[in-house]
Amino acid sequence: MAAHTRTTTTTLIPMTITLTDSALLRLLQLGSAALPVGGYSFSQGLEYAVEIGWVSSLDSCDDWLSLGLRDGVGGLDLPVASRLYRALEDGDQDAFQYWNDFALAARESRELLMADEAMGQALLRLLRQLPQPLPDTASGMQASFLGAFVATAWQWQISESACQIGLAWCWLEAQIAAATKLIPLGQTQAQQLLSRMQTALPPVIAHAASLDDDALGATLPGLAMASALHETQYCRLFRS
């Protein structure tokens, strides 16, 4: 039997991101795997997908994450992050609250909502212990992780485009870390997957920028089902 060969053709879209040294350091801090917000406690439905056999190899994980990046992060998180950021630029508290609430309402299962709220509150608690001031907009709100992340990026003078890269990177790195434990993947395979997925980020971000308000939302019924069924999975490593 001939070996299966996976061929991927990717068109890269140039991105220009300008950061001061201090903003770059802040972005690295905000997007770091060491940031104690609990992101690595959540598999975002991947644990159930591995349990049932939907994801079982490097290539099937690539397919799962590619869909999640394009139709989940790219269809919801990134365009909403842009609207949150611009609301802060305009000083529009009502618009910021609206899009923060929109992000929470768009989570399609209780576990996805719980992950978003838990990480958002963890980030706000962390910020209260840091020398940098807590963003006024985020104080006292029921923050989604998306809202808290964007408010922090804006407060720390990280650009909108860099904020989107940071958000996408946080999601991608956490998902690959979960896949490394669950499938499992070796460390070399994990880095191969990370390299594959990096090339998908620029076109996903560019597509997110083209979406109208009425087009926003995740279109991943398989992810929604996996997340909901994960709640009653017999043996679990992750909270979602």
Side-chain angles (χ1 to χ4, degrees), residues 30-31 35 37-39 77 84 100 103-104 107 113 115-124 142-152 166-167 170-171:
L30 189 56
L35 196 72
V37 296
D77 297 76
L84 287 165
N100 176 78
L104 291 172
R107 304 308 177 193
L113 176 61
D116 204 348
E117 290 179 324
M119 290 174 61
Q121 293 304 314
L123 179 53
L124 294 183
Q142 182 191 12
S144 64
F145 178 67
L146 191 57
F149 190 102
V150 173
T152 305
L167 269 170
C170 283
W171 176 86

Side-chain angles (χ1 to χ4, degrees), residues 44-46 48-49 54 108-113 220-233 236 239-240:
Q44 306 286 339
L46 180 60
Y48 185 82
W54 293 348
E108 296 181 297
S109 72
R110 183 170 72 172
E111 289 215 337
L112 291 175
L113 176 61
L220 295 166
L223 170 62
M225 289 187 288
S227 176
L229 291 168
H230 180 267
E231 183 178 3
T232 56
Q233 187 173 330
R236 305 193 313 179
R239 295 178 64 192
S240 77

Side-chain angles (χ1 to χ4, degrees), residues 141-174:
M141 66 181 292
Q142 182 191 12
S144 64
F145 178 67
L146 191 57
F149 190 102
V150 173
T152 305
W154 180 82
Q155 183 81 6
W156 289 358
Q157 299 182 329
I158 297 168
S159 69
E160 179 184 338
S161 56
C163 174
Q164 290 181 304
I165 286 284
L167 269 170
W169 180 260
C170 283
W171 176 86
L172 178 58
E173 192 174 27

